[in-house]
Amino acid sequence: MGVLGVLVLLVLAYLFVSIKIVRQGYHHTIEHFGRFTTVARPGFNFYPAFFYRVGRRVNMMEQVIDIPGQEIITKDNAMISTDGVVFFQVLDAPKAAYEVSDLNYALLNLVTTNLRTVMGSMDLDETLSKRDEINARLLNTVDHATTPWGVKITRVEIKDIRPPQDIVNAMARQMKAEREKRANILEAEGSRASEILRAEGQKQARILEAEGRRESAFRDSEARERAAEAEAKATALVSEAIEQGSAQAINYFIAQKYVEAVGKFATSPNAKTVLFPVEATQLIGTLGGIGELAREALGKNDTPPPAKPGVPVVREG
């Protein structure tokens, strides 16, 4: 090969070295004699060799840093262990390359110190129950601190919080006592509701019973009123019949009352034995005598009554 061939090879080698191929998801900083000039973006880039070189290869994808376990003392002097993860993304490659040395190490220490600050200002109960608040406060604090580095903190997540075993046991007893308290309250409320319902039922039963007694009394009163009206009507009819000179009506009326009186004697609770030697003929005779008295009272004894069997008719004079 001649001198021309050597020159061609040298030119080709120079061109090859000057070509910069940047992968997707990365940015390369280009330095001109050691000073940053521009950023090579993904794809084909040409920068003359020996005059320009690649300074830093910056990952522009979202990345994650694992926060190792930390021993933290809370505001109420409880020792807890915690760990977490941080998600971040580089937005400005020159700042991430030249504003901070070892970006991952700087982020790890920044998150660790702020984690101690945030959780150390809270009580144990707050650290266990307000994990979202801890994440939000860490995210706000760390993102504000990394803005000069061209880095965006996207998420901060606390993975685990581990209190000491004696505190865990105390919390378990507290939870058990709280649940027993709730159970007793619910049981008492159930008993109260049951008693209220039972009292309401008894009240409704007494109301219905009183309404039934009132309705029964009303019905009894109406029945007695109607019976009295019937009795009054019957008495009026008997009186009319007596005025018209009919002795059968008064005989029927007096016989009915006589029988009712005899029935009351028989059903009296004070009498153990009732001796009532009354025969049918005597009862008829009695009724006849009563009829005679009624005719004498009315002045209508001119016509003799018909003779009854077994009852003699006595005439005066």
Side-chain angles (χ1 to χ4, degrees):
M1 297 178 58
V3 178
L4 182 59
V6 174
L7 291 176
V8 171
L9 289 177
L10 290 175
V11 171
L12 292 175
Y14 181 78
L15 294 174
F16 180 78
V17 174
S18 300
I19 295 173
K20 303 295 186 290
I21 304 297
V22 181
R23 293 171 55 192
Q24 183 67 36
Y26 288 84
H27 284 181
H28 293 179
T29 60
I30 303 301
E31 298 176 354
H32 179 63
F33 294 111
R35 182 174 63 86
F36 168 76
T37 56
T38 186
V39 175
R41 299 184 181 279
F44 178 83
N45 296 271
F46 182 80
Y47 295 97
F50 305 112
F51 299 98
Y52 296 91
R53 72 181 186 89
V54 176
R56 303 286 179 87
R57 294 175 173 82
V58 182
N59 186 351
M60 305 297 292
M61 296 178 288
E62 187 173 5
Q63 304 174 65
V64 59
I65 297 178
D66 187 31
I67 303 174
Q70 304 290 321
E71 298 290 336
I72 300 175
I73 300 177
T74 61
K75 185 178 179 180
D76 52 352
N77 297 323
M79 182 71 70
I80 59 174
S81 300
T82 182
D83 53 9
V85 291
V86 179
F87 296 85
F88 71 96
Q89 186 176 13
V90 176
L91 302 180
D92 193 331
K95 289 184 178 180
Y98 300 109
E99 295 293 337
V100 61
S101 177
D102 196 350
L103 178 61
N104 288 357
Y105 182 74
L107 287 174
L108 178 61
N109 283 275
L110 180 64
V111 173
T112 301
T113 54
N114 280 278
L115 179 62
R116 292 177 180 273
T117 302
V118 171
M119 298 188 69
S121 64
M122 304 174 69
D123 295 334
L124 176 61
D125 293 338
E126 293 179 334
T127 60
L128 296 175
S129 60
K130 297 182 178 180
R131 186 171 299 188
D132 292 339
E133 181 180 343
I134 296 173
N135 295 337
R137 291 176 60 181
L138 278 175
L139 177 62
N140 184 40
T141 303
V142 177
D143 184 56
H144 180 73
T146 57
T147 299
W149 301 344
V151 176
K152 174 65 177 176
I153 305 297
T154 56
R155 289 188 300 277
V156 178
E157 299 290 342
I158 300 298
K159 292 195 299 185
D160 192 15
I161 300 176
R162 297 175 296 275
Q165 189 61 39
D166 56 344
I167 296 180
V168 173
N169 295 335
M171 292 171 62
R173 291 193 300 270
Q174 179 182 1
M175 180 183 64
K176 181 179 179 181
E178 185 67 23
R179 292 185 179 276
E180 290 179 351
K181 174 184 175 182
R182 292 180 183 176
N184 293 332
I185 292 174
L186 291 176
E187 184 177 358
E189 289 179 352
S191 299
R192 184 183 66 179
S194 176
E195 292 296 332
I196 291 173
L197 292 176
R198 187 179 295 109
E200 286 290 338
Q202 293 176 356
K203 174 183 175 182
Q204 292 296 329
R206 287 194 295 269
I207 290 174
L208 293 175
E209 184 180 357
E211 290 180 352
R213 289 196 303 268
R214 184 183 66 179
E215 183 68 20
S216 176
F218 177 76
R219 298 291 185 182
D220 291 342
S221 176
E222 186 178 7
R224 288 193 300 270
E225 182 180 355
R226 292 185 178 180
E229 290 178 356
E231 185 72 18
K233 186 176 181 180
T235 304
L237 292 175
V238 171
S239 299
E240 292 179 359
I242 293 173
E243 289 178 357
Q244 294 175 2
S246 175
Q248 295 180 356
I250 193 171
N251 287 338
Y252 172 78
F253 184 73
I254 295 175
Q256 181 182 7
K257 295 299 181 180
Y258 188 82
V259 171
E260 290 178 358
V262 172
K264 290 181 180 180
F265 277 113
T267 58
S268 176
N270 298 324
K272 299 297 182 178
T273 304
V274 178
L275 299 177
F276 202 79
V278 179
E279 297 179 358
T281 55
Q282 294 177 350
L283 176 58
I284 295 173
T286 304
L287 294 180
I290 295 173
E292 289 291 340
L293 293 175
R295 280 194 297 271
E296 290 179 359
L298 294 174
K300 296 180 180 180
N301 51 356
D302 296 335
T303 305
K308 301 294 181 178
V311 179
V313 179
V314 181
R315 294 184 181 270
E316 295 181 358

